[in-house]
Amino acid sequence: MSKAPPRILSIAGSDSSGGAGIQADLKTITMLGGYGMSAITTITAQNSVGVQAIAPISGDVVYKQIMACIDDIGVDAVKIGMLHDTEIIAAVTGALEALDHSVPIVLDPVMIATSGAALIAPEAVAAMREELFPKATLITPNLPELEHLADRTLHNSEQMTGAAEALAGASGAAILAKGGHTEDARIIDLLMIPKEDGGCRAVSFNHARIDTPHTHGTGCTLSAAIATLMGHGQPLENAVRLARQFVFQAITHAPGYGAGNGPLGHQAVRNL
């Protein structure tokens, strides 16, 4: 028999149009050879032009979804996305206590949709920082999220470096600061990996910008890809490198759906 696929649990919101959230995560996990499971935190009505409605799931139901996966199927890696409020964050934090500490946890601190809609209650940001950041293996903020977490304005990769290093030091987690919103000519992502001596090892990734409006769900896809690759046993740096290639190809193969910021072409990615 061939080796069983890694069991990847996505804890995130549902995107009714299929471009982001749980739907994007499960497509990504499947294309990368993982076995996808889900704990839905929030139901949204959204599409390529915006978010029309948000309905959070109760913390108790979120907790039970996670435990149903852990207790029976087992989990090799976790991706965390949209959490919405403090009740859900507390439920996720409690459920993750049942995992072995060796299981990688990739946390995408989803706060604002690409359309600009707020996806998390303000008080939930503090709860996420206090309760979940210490459990994360990797945190993947985009520029607006990193600005919020660092409480400073960031314009380029140089400024992003200092903020990412500070966040890594405060959280104890590796930080992948995504540079898609910077003023740099190329997209530069910075991976900050904490060292035992208290500093960080910095790794830079970059590629040319793609002239397209179809980037809905890129953050969800990237974090799900990293979690899946780590579930396969890839070390963090290599998982990030391969996941970025997956996202790049998915963007270039976007089907062109929707009147606004359309979904990626997950199903078109063949080789990394």
Side-chain angles (χ1 to χ4, degrees), residues 162-173:
E165 186 170 11
L167 184 57
S171 66

Side-chain angles (χ1 to χ4, degrees), residues 1 25 29 44 70 93 104 124 135 137 146 154 166 198 231 247 251:
M1 290 180 63
D25 291 351
I29 294 165
T44 71
I70 294 174
T93 303
K135 292 184 177 298
T137 307
L146 185 59
L154 307 170
V247 174
I251 294 173

Side-chain angles (χ1 to χ4, degrees), residues 104-125:
I105 297 174
V106 179
L107 172 58
D108 184 14
V110 178
M111 299 177 188
I112 303 170
T114 304
S115 61
L119 297 175
I120 186 170
E123 64 272 14
V125 177

Side-chain angles (χ1 to χ4, degrees), residues 151-215:
D151 193 25
R152 66 180 83 170
T153 300
L154 307 170
H155 297 287
N156 53 49
S157 59
E158 184 177 349
Q159 295 171 341
M160 194 167 66
T161 300
E165 186 170 11
L167 184 57
S171 66
I175 305 297
L176 179 63
K178 299 175 291 189
H181 294 84
T182 68
E183 298 171 355
D184 297 307
R186 294 174 65 84
I187 289 181
I188 301 173
D189 296 337
L190 298 170
L191 176 61
M192 289 289 177
I193 304 174
K195 297 191 297 185
E196 291 185 1
D197 64 5
C200 285
R201 182 168 69 89
V203 184
S204 177
F205 306 89
N206 75 89
H207 62 70
R209 293 185 180 274
I210 303 171
D211 185 16
T212 177
H214 302 298
T215 56

